[in-house]
Amino acid sequence: MILLFALIFLGGWAAALAGLGYASSVLWQSRRQRWVRDHGHPFVRLLVPPPAYLRFDKALAVAVLLADLWLLSGVVLLGSDGVFTEAWMGYPGMMDPDGEGYQAGAVDLLRTAALWSASAAILARCWTTAAVQLTVLPLSALWVASFDTYYS
């Protein structure tokens, strides 16, 4: 199982950068199309983006999901070396004497990343991306917080 997280961690940078590149290409291809609706109530025009902006939002959501998986796999991979003692990880190795605050720091990192990235997505009106960030990272933080450690 740790091999799976190691592969996700190693391939995560490439996948996240490829997703970001694809989102940028979608943004570039739709630069001449309208980004705000012309008709309807101003509140509806703000909340319901046109199709070009929705395509960008979906591509950005995929890129952010790949980056979230990379971050989560990095947390699990680095914590498996002497901090976490979960049975599915196998033998985690020697106990890391400096790893006592690792789990709390990792959970805080995941929650803070969710807060900031979802806030940026909401400000940019990327509703799908904000929903992905508010779903994946907090659930990942809860999952990492549920791990048994040598210190608990």
Side-chain angles (χ1 to χ4, degrees):
M1 192 59 118
I2 290 301
L3 179 63
L4 174 68
F5 280 104
L7 290 174
I8 292 172
F9 181 71
L10 293 175
W13 270 112
L17 288 176
L20 185 60
Y22 178 71
S24 299
S25 72
V26 168
L27 182 64
W28 181 258
Q29 290 171 356
S30 61
R31 69 187 182 282
R32 291 190 179 103
Q33 297 176 5
R34 295 189 180 275
W35 287 88
V36 180
R37 293 188 183 270
D38 291 341
H39 55 283
H41 193 271
F43 188 68
V44 173
R45 288 191 309 212
L46 178 69
L47 289 180
V48 182
Y53 200 77
L54 287 174
R55 280 192 302 275
F56 167 69
D57 185 19
K58 290 175 186 174
L60 186 62
V62 169
V64 166
L65 177 66
L66 292 171
D68 291 347
L69 292 177
W70 173 81
L71 182 63
L72 177 63
S73 65
V75 164
V76 171
L77 187 66
L78 294 174
S80 67
D81 190 26
V83 177
F84 300 135
T85 62
E86 293 294 314
W88 57 268
M89 288 186 181
Y91 178 68
M94 296 294 292
M95 182 175 73
D96 184 7
D98 299 325
E100 190 169 359
Y102 179 78
Q103 185 177 25
V107 169
D108 188 44
L109 170 75
L110 292 171
R111 288 181 180 163
T112 304
L115 174 72
W116 283 101
S117 58
S119 298
I122 288 171
L123 286 176
R125 296 184 316 134
C126 295
W127 309 123
T128 309
T129 305
V132 166
Q133 290 301 94
L134 290 174
T135 307
V136 173
L137 287 177
L139 291 176
S140 300
L142 284 173
W143 184 57
V144 170
S146 71
F147 288 170
D148 290 331
T149 65
Y150 280 109
Y151 307 101
S152 60

